[in-house]
Amino acid sequence: DMPVLRSDPKVIRRKTFRTGKVALISGGGSGHEPLHGGFVGHGMLDAACPGQVFTSPTPDQMLAAAQAVDTGTGCLFIVKNYEGDVMNFDMAAEMSEGVQQIVTNDDVAVENSSYTTGRRGVAGTLVVEKIVGAAAEHGLALPVLKTLGERVNAATRSMGVALTSGTVPAAGKPTFDIGDGEMEFGVGIHGEPGRRRDTLKSADAIAEEICTAILGDLGDKAKGPALLFVNGFGGTPLMELYLMYN
Protein backbone atom coordinates (compact mmCIF):
# COMPACT_ATOMS: atom_id res chain seq x y z
CA ASP A 1 0.00 0.00 0.00
CA MET A 2 2.64 2.49 -1.08
CA PRO A 3 1.38 6.09 -1.10
CA VAL A 4 1.00 8.16 -4.23
CA LEU A 5 2.21 11.76 -4.56
CA ARG A 6 0.07 14.23 -6.46
CA SER A 7 2.10 17.29 -7.41
CA ASP A 8 -0.46 20.02 -8.19
CA PRO A 9 -1.67 20.69 -5.59
CA LYS A 10 0.63 18.59 -3.42
CA VAL A 11 -1.23 15.69 -1.80
CA ILE A 12 0.08 12.34 -0.52
CA ARG A 13 -2.64 9.67 -0.69
CA ARG A 14 -3.13 5.94 -0.43
CA LYS A 15 -2.83 4.05 -3.69
CA THR A 16 -5.93 1.93 -3.15
CA PHE A 17 -9.20 2.59 -1.31
CA ARG A 18 -11.99 0.48 0.09
CA THR A 19 -15.56 1.51 -0.71
CA GLY A 20 -17.54 2.27 2.42
CA LYS A 21 -14.59 3.41 4.52
CA VAL A 22 -14.52 6.95 5.91
CA ALA A 23 -11.40 8.77 4.68
CA LEU A 24 -9.02 10.36 7.18
CA ILE A 25 -7.09 13.44 6.07
CA SER A 26 -4.52 15.52 7.91
CA GLY A 27 -1.69 17.86 7.08
CA GLY A 28 0.47 20.72 8.21
CA GLY A 29 3.68 22.55 7.54
CA SER A 30 6.68 20.55 6.38
CA GLY A 31 9.61 20.13 8.76
CA HIS A 32 7.82 17.74 11.14
CA GLU A 33 8.42 14.53 9.18
CA PRO A 34 7.39 11.77 9.30
CA LEU A 35 4.19 13.59 10.34
CA HIS A 36 1.93 13.55 8.34
CA GLY A 37 2.93 12.01 5.01
CA GLY A 38 4.80 9.16 6.65
CA PHE A 39 1.57 7.90 8.20
CA VAL A 40 -0.50 7.56 5.04
CA GLY A 41 -1.51 3.93 4.70
CA HIS A 42 -3.55 1.07 6.10
CA GLY A 43 -4.93 1.80 9.57
CA MET A 44 -3.98 5.47 9.55
CA LEU A 45 -4.42 8.36 7.10
CA ASP A 46 -5.88 8.14 3.62
CA ALA A 47 -4.26 11.41 2.57
CA ALA A 48 -1.93 14.11 3.88
CA CYS A 49 -1.43 17.71 2.75
CA PRO A 50 2.14 19.05 3.18
CA GLY A 51 2.62 22.80 3.38
CA GLN A 52 5.83 24.74 3.02
CA VAL A 53 8.25 24.54 5.97
CA PHE A 54 6.35 25.51 9.15
CA THR A 55 3.52 26.88 6.98
CA SER A 56 -0.04 25.58 6.76
CA PRO A 57 -1.12 23.77 3.60
CA THR A 58 -3.66 25.59 1.48
CA PRO A 59 -7.42 24.93 1.25
CA ASP A 60 -7.10 23.74 -2.35
CA GLN A 61 -4.74 20.97 -1.18
CA MET A 62 -7.28 19.80 1.41
CA LEU A 63 -10.13 20.02 -1.08
CA ALA A 64 -8.14 18.00 -3.64
CA ALA A 65 -7.31 15.41 -0.98
CA ALA A 66 -10.97 15.02 0.01
CA GLN A 67 -12.05 14.65 -3.60
CA ALA A 68 -9.32 12.06 -4.24
CA VAL A 69 -10.01 9.72 -1.30
CA ASP A 70 -13.73 10.08 -0.49
CA THR A 71 -15.45 6.82 -1.45
CA GLY A 72 -18.93 8.07 -0.60
CA THR A 73 -19.00 7.83 3.20
CA GLY A 74 -17.38 11.17 3.97
CA CYS A 75 -14.05 12.50 5.22
CA LEU A 76 -12.67 13.36 8.63
CA PHE A 77 -10.11 16.16 8.86
CA ILE A 78 -7.64 15.82 11.77
CA VAL A 79 -6.28 19.30 12.40
CA LYS A 80 -3.56 20.52 14.77
CA ASN A 81 -4.56 23.64 16.69
CA TYR A 82 -2.58 26.29 14.85
CA GLU A 83 -4.37 29.32 13.51
CA GLY A 84 -3.32 28.80 9.88
CA ASP A 85 -4.17 25.10 9.89
CA VAL A 86 -7.56 25.64 11.53
CA MET A 87 -8.49 28.48 9.17
CA ASN A 88 -7.51 26.64 5.99
CA PHE A 89 -9.07 23.32 6.96
CA ASP A 90 -12.26 25.22 7.90
CA MET A 91 -12.34 26.80 4.44
CA ALA A 92 -11.83 23.43 2.74
CA ALA A 93 -14.59 21.86 4.86
CA GLU A 94 -16.98 24.64 3.86
CA MET A 95 -16.25 23.94 0.19
CA SER A 96 -16.82 20.19 0.61
CA GLU A 97 -19.71 17.91 1.44
CA GLY A 98 -19.67 15.17 4.04
CA VAL A 99 -16.63 16.51 5.90
CA GLN A 100 -16.24 16.72 9.67
CA GLN A 101 -13.24 17.82 11.73
CA ILE A 102 -11.28 17.07 14.90
CA VAL A 103 -8.92 19.74 16.28
CA THR A 104 -6.10 18.39 18.47
CA ASN A 105 -4.78 20.46 21.38
CA ASP A 106 -2.75 18.18 23.65
CA ASP A 107 0.18 20.43 24.68
CA VAL A 108 0.02 21.29 28.40
CA ALA A 109 3.03 23.62 28.35
CA VAL A 110 1.31 26.91 27.52
CA GLU A 111 -2.28 28.02 27.03
CA ASN A 112 -1.62 30.41 24.13
CA SER A 113 1.40 30.91 21.89
CA SER A 114 2.57 32.91 18.90
CA TYR A 115 0.88 30.44 16.51
CA THR A 116 -2.26 29.53 18.46
CA THR A 117 -5.31 30.60 20.36
CA GLY A 118 -5.55 27.93 23.01
CA ARG A 119 -3.35 24.90 23.39
CA ARG A 120 -1.10 23.66 20.63
CA GLY A 121 -1.72 20.38 18.81
CA VAL A 122 1.50 18.39 18.80
CA ALA A 123 2.49 14.73 19.36
CA GLY A 124 -1.00 13.74 20.51
CA THR A 125 -2.16 14.25 16.93
CA LEU A 126 -0.42 11.01 15.96
CA VAL A 127 -2.24 9.13 18.73
CA VAL A 128 -5.58 10.40 17.41
CA GLU A 129 -4.65 9.44 13.85
CA LYS A 130 -3.63 5.92 14.87
CA ILE A 131 -6.67 5.10 17.02
CA VAL A 132 -9.24 6.70 14.74
CA GLY A 133 -7.49 5.22 11.70
CA ALA A 134 -7.80 1.72 13.12
CA ALA A 135 -11.49 2.31 13.86
CA ALA A 136 -12.07 3.60 10.33
CA GLU A 137 -10.58 0.39 8.89
CA HIS A 138 -13.28 -1.50 10.82
CA GLY A 139 -15.98 0.48 9.03
CA LEU A 140 -17.18 2.85 11.76
CA ALA A 141 -19.35 5.74 10.55
CA LEU A 142 -18.18 9.35 10.30
CA PRO A 143 -20.05 10.70 13.37
CA VAL A 144 -18.76 7.79 15.48
CA LEU A 145 -15.17 8.40 14.35
CA LYS A 146 -15.44 12.11 15.12
CA THR A 147 -16.71 11.36 18.63
CA LEU A 148 -13.95 8.79 19.15
CA GLY A 149 -11.29 11.24 18.00
CA GLU A 150 -12.57 13.93 20.34
CA ARG A 151 -12.51 11.45 23.24
CA VAL A 152 -8.93 10.44 22.46
CA ASN A 153 -7.83 14.06 22.15
CA ALA A 154 -9.51 14.97 25.45
CA ALA A 155 -7.58 12.17 27.19
CA THR A 156 -4.21 13.00 25.61
CA ARG A 157 -1.55 15.32 27.02
CA SER A 158 1.99 16.12 25.94
CA MET A 159 4.91 18.38 26.71
CA GLY A 160 8.22 18.97 24.97
CA VAL A 161 11.72 20.07 25.90
CA ALA A 162 14.53 21.44 23.75
CA LEU A 163 18.30 21.50 24.13
CA THR A 164 18.90 23.33 20.86
CA SER A 165 16.89 25.30 18.32
CA GLY A 166 15.79 24.15 14.90
CA THR A 167 16.75 26.13 11.81
CA VAL A 168 14.24 27.00 9.10
CA PRO A 169 16.09 26.72 5.75
CA ALA A 170 14.76 30.04 4.45
CA ALA A 171 15.98 31.85 7.57
CA GLY A 172 19.38 30.18 7.63
CA LYS A 173 19.84 30.65 11.38
CA PRO A 174 18.45 29.11 14.59
CA THR A 175 14.90 30.15 15.48
CA PHE A 176 15.95 31.07 19.02
CA ASP A 177 19.15 31.34 21.03
CA ILE A 178 19.87 28.98 23.90
CA GLY A 179 23.08 28.43 25.85
CA ASP A 180 25.07 25.20 25.81
CA GLY A 181 24.12 24.45 29.40
CA GLU A 182 20.44 25.44 29.09
CA MET A 183 17.19 23.76 28.12
CA GLU A 184 13.68 25.01 27.38
CA PHE A 185 10.74 23.30 29.05
CA GLY A 186 7.54 23.34 27.02
CA VAL A 187 9.03 24.56 23.73
CA GLY A 188 6.68 24.50 20.74
CA ILE A 189 7.24 22.52 17.55
CA HIS A 190 8.09 25.71 15.63
CA GLY A 191 10.37 27.00 18.38
CA GLU A 192 7.68 28.94 20.24
CA PRO A 193 8.67 29.83 23.81
CA GLY A 194 7.84 27.29 26.49
CA ARG A 195 6.94 27.79 30.12
CA ARG A 196 10.48 28.31 31.43
CA ARG A 197 14.20 27.99 30.71
CA ASP A 198 16.55 26.21 33.10
CA THR A 199 19.98 24.69 33.36
CA LEU A 200 20.52 21.28 31.78
CA LYS A 201 18.88 18.52 33.86
CA SER A 202 19.27 14.75 34.09
CA ALA A 203 16.90 12.43 32.21
CA ASP A 204 15.20 11.54 35.51
CA ALA A 205 14.60 15.20 36.37
CA ILE A 206 13.29 15.96 32.87
CA ALA A 207 10.90 13.00 32.96
CA GLU A 208 9.69 13.99 36.43
CA GLU A 209 8.89 17.55 35.37
CA ILE A 210 7.12 16.48 32.18
CA CYS A 211 5.08 13.78 33.91
CA THR A 212 4.19 16.08 36.82
CA ALA A 213 2.85 18.68 34.39
CA ILE A 214 0.88 16.12 32.37
CA LEU A 215 -0.59 14.25 35.35
CA GLY A 216 -1.43 17.50 37.12
CA ASP A 217 -3.31 18.70 34.06
CA LEU A 218 -5.19 15.41 33.69
CA GLY A 219 -6.30 15.53 37.33
CA ASP A 220 -8.84 12.82 38.17
CA LYS A 221 -8.53 11.40 34.64
CA ALA A 222 -5.01 10.18 35.44
CA LYS A 223 -6.07 6.68 36.45
CA GLY A 224 -5.62 3.23 34.91
CA PRO A 225 -3.33 2.14 32.07
CA ALA A 226 -1.75 4.70 29.76
CA LEU A 227 -0.25 4.81 26.28
CA LEU A 228 3.26 6.30 26.47
CA PHE A 229 4.60 7.99 23.34
CA VAL A 230 8.19 9.27 23.46
CA ASN A 231 9.09 11.32 20.40
CA GLY A 232 12.52 12.67 19.55
CA PHE A 233 11.29 14.84 16.70
CA GLY A 234 14.11 13.58 14.48
CA GLY A 235 16.90 15.22 16.46
CA THR A 236 17.37 12.87 19.42
CA PRO A 237 19.46 9.68 19.16
CA LEU A 238 17.55 6.44 19.67
CA MET A 239 19.67 5.55 22.71
CA GLU A 240 18.59 8.75 24.44
CA LEU A 241 14.95 8.08 23.58
CA TYR A 242 15.24 4.62 25.18
CA LEU A 243 16.72 6.33 28.24
CA MET A 244 13.78 8.72 28.49
CA TYR A 245 11.32 5.88 27.92
CA ASN A 246 12.85 3.95 30.80
Side-chain angles (χ1 to χ4, degrees):
D1 192 18
M2 291 293 292
V4 174
L5 174 63
R6 172 176 172 171
S7 59
D8 189 21
K10 286 187 173 62
V11 172
I12 302 168
R13 64 168 179 82
R14 291 176 67 170
K15 186 174 183 178
T16 59
F17 310 102
R18 193 181 79 243
T19 302
K21 177 191 173 299
V22 173
L24 270 58
I25 300 170
S26 192
S30 296
H32 307 306
E33 289 73 24
L35 207 70
H36 295 272
F39 299 106
V40 172
H42 180 82
M44 293 206 54
L45 298 175
D46 292 276
C49 307
Q52 298 295 321
V53 174
F54 290 1
T55 303
S56 172
T58 59
D60 65 312
Q61 288 176 264
M62 300 146 190
L63 185 60
Q67 293 170 344
V69 301
D70 185 3
T71 63
T73 49
C75 300
L76 182 62
F77 287 169
I78 301 176
V79 187
K80 300 188 299 297
N81 188 34
Y82 293 94
E83 290 175 352
D85 288 20
V86 171
M87 178 181 68
N88 288 348
F89 272 102
D90 276 347
M91 290 175 62
E94 291 173 1
M95 294 186 288
S96 307
E97 293 184 4
V99 171
Q100 297 192 33
Q101 301 187 71
I102 300 168
V103 178
T104 61
N105 57 352
D106 52 290
D107 189 359
V108 304
V110 294
E111 185 62 33
N112 297 295
S113 76
S114 52
Y115 284 73
T116 66
T117 300
R119 291 182 168 184
R120 304 176 290 214
V122 285
T125 309
L126 178 60
V127 179
V128 173
E129 292 176 353
K130 179 59 180 172
I131 293 176
V132 178
E137 291 291 348
H138 284 280
L140 273 65
L142 180 56
V144 178
L145 293 173
K146 175 178 170 62
T147 299
L148 173 62
E150 290 171 343
R151 282 179 53 205
V152 174
N153 177 66
T156 303
R157 300 291 189 277
S158 68
M159 183 171 166
V161 298
L163 307 183
T164 59
S165 169
T167 298
V168 177
K173 61 180 181 179
T175 303
F176 59 89
D177 295 320
I178 187 167
D180 290 341
E182 294 182 316
M183 61 188 306
E184 182 97 11
F185 282 92
V187 68
I189 60 174
H190 308 100
E192 305 98 316
R195 55 171 56 182
R196 70 184 183 88
R197 186 168 292 191
D198 204 342
T199 55
L200 194 62
K201 304 295 182 186
S202 68
D204 285 343
I206 295 169
E208 182 177 0
E209 175 148 350
I210 292 174
C211 290
T212 298
I214 288 173
L215 294 175
D217 193 86
L218 281 169
D220 292 339
K221 296 179 183 177
K223 297 177 182 178
L227 170 65
L228 175 62
F229 175 32
V230 180
N231 167 37
F233 213 40
T236 307
L238 192 58
M239 182 181 293
E240 295 183 13
L241 291 180
Y242 285 143
L243 184 67
M244 287 304 303
Y245 177 86
N246 186 62

